[in-house]
Amino acid sequence: GQNIDQPTEMTATEGAIVQINCTYQTSGFNGLFWYQQHAGEAPTFLSYNVLDGLEEKGRFSSFLSRSKGYSYLLLKELQMKDSASYLCAVPGAGNNRKLIWGLGTSLAVNP
Amino acid sequence: DGGITQSPKYLFRKEGQNVTLSCEQNLNHDAMYWYRQDPGQGLRLIYYSQIVNDFQKGDIAEGYSVSREKKESFPLTVTSAQKNPTAFYLCASITNRGGNNEQFFGPGTRLTVL
């Protein structure tokens, strides 16, 4: 089957670094997405990893290990506006281009 | 600018009434999706359509119906058969012309059934 696990909640301090983990099980692998979702708004795309390693994009970086079925999102120099839910997703099996979504990690950034 | 629009942003209905949520995209995307989001539940797929005049049930299709008569439009009807319709509804689209499966989202419609 296909499954995604991520922590439900995390708390961090403004200016700090936080790592949000995601583990997945899929019948075939075709990349992993991270989205950010502020309360009451739509998810917005953050990153897509298909190869192993770290991809950096400004304050946000995403890491993938296909052999371990593991990814993390690294947020540096945290700002209050980073308080949001972070969703991990992987494409489902087959050719229907569906995404399998994790439940999301709610990050609270405190001053 | 290209994008996905959903209207209205907030919708109130009385119990027992059908209601249709609008989703329009001018991105020339082939596939469109409807999700429902409840607190702590993540995104759950209701229906999706990969091409015009074709659509498939997602994980929680009961009590919902859709149509895909035009490439740009994928309206969702929440029927009176849906037992707990109050939720945040998100529409998304994706191109079928290769790429990484990134889904683009509309702003969402928050439906409250009184």
Side-chain angles (χ1 to χ4, degrees), chain A residues 16-108:
Chain A
I17 299 173
V18 70
Q19 178 176 311
I20 302 175
N21 296 325
C22 171
T23 57
Y24 63 88
Q25 292 175 312
T26 59
S27 53
F29 183 75
N30 193 24
L32 184 142
F33 292 88
W34 283 99
Y35 280 78
Q36 180 191 59
Q37 186 179 25
H38 285 100
E41 298 181 9
T44 55
F45 171 82
L46 287 178
S47 67
Y48 173 69
N49 293 67
V50 65
L51 299 176
D52 290 350
L54 185 69
E55 292 201 7
E56 299 186 64
K57 195 185 294 185
R59 293 190 299 113
F60 292 9
S61 302
S62 55
F63 172 84
L64 176 67
S65 168
R66 289 174 294 173
S67 62
K68 296 181 180 179
Y70 167 69
S71 173
Y72 67 72
L73 183 68
L74 193 69
L75 290 70
K76 303 176 185 175
E77 301 169 17
L78 281 171
Q79 302 175 9
M80 300 296 288
K81 68 178 181 180
D82 297 330
S83 293
S85 184
Y86 292 86
L87 308 174
C88 177
V90 295
N95 198 29
N96 54 31
R97 302 177 82 88
K98 292 193 298 183
L99 288 180
I100 309 301
W101 295 87
L103 296 183
T105 298
S106 179
L107 173 66

Side-chain angles (χ1 to χ4, degrees), chain A residues 30 33 35 37 39-45 48 87 91 95-99 101-104, chain B residues 9 33 35 37 41-43 45 48 50 88 90 94-96 98 100-103 105-106 110:
Chain A
N30 193 24
F33 292 88
Y35 280 78
Q37 186 179 25
E41 298 181 9
T44 55
F45 171 82
Y48 173 69
L87 308 174
N95 198 29
N96 54 31
R97 302 177 82 88
K98 292 193 298 183
L99 288 180
W101 295 87
L103 296 183
Chain B
K9 190 166 179 62
Y33 305 79
Y35 293 97
Q37 189 173 37
Q41 295 271 356
L43 296 176
L45 183 64
Y48 64 102
Q50 291 194 278
F88 187 45
L90 287 159
I94 185 174
T95 180
N96 272 352
N100 64 11
N101 286 348
E102 177 191 345
Q103 292 191 2
F105 285 87
R110 187 165 297 279

Side-chain angles (χ1 to χ4, degrees), chain B residues 40-61:
Chain B
Q41 295 271 356
L43 296 176
R44 293 188 289 169
L45 183 64
I46 305 172
Y47 268 98
Y48 64 102
S49 167
Q50 291 194 278
I51 56 172
V52 175
N53 293 322
D54 185 52
F55 49 83
Q56 288 80 39
K57 293 181 179 179
D59 301 317
I60 54 164

Side-chain angles (χ1 to χ4, degrees), chain B residues 17-106:
Chain B
Q17 290 182 333
N18 290 357
V19 60
T20 297
L21 281 58
S22 164
C23 178
E24 304 279 332
Q25 54 96 0
N26 60 4
L27 300 166
N28 199 29
H29 283 175
D30 304 287
M32 298 184 74
Y33 305 79
W34 272 107
Y35 293 97
R36 170 183 172 138
Q37 189 173 37
D38 297 280
Q41 295 271 356
L43 296 176
R44 293 188 289 169
L45 183 64
I46 305 172
Y47 268 98
Y48 64 102
S49 167
Q50 291 194 278
I51 56 172
V52 175
N53 293 322
D54 185 52
F55 49 83
Q56 288 80 39
K57 293 181 179 179
D59 301 317
I60 54 164
E62 184 176 351
Y64 299 97
S65 65
V66 294
S67 62
R68 187 87 187 276
E69 297 176 1
K70 298 187 300 181
K71 187 175 185 178
E72 301 81 14
S73 180
F74 191 40
L76 173 75
T77 297
V78 184
T79 75
S80 56
Q82 168 51 234
K83 291 182 172 43
N84 296 297
T86 294
F88 187 45
Y89 291 87
L90 287 159
C91 179
S93 70
I94 185 174
T95 180
N96 272 352
R97 300 183 199 90
N100 64 11
N101 286 348
E102 177 191 345
Q103 292 191 2
F104 295 79
F105 285 87

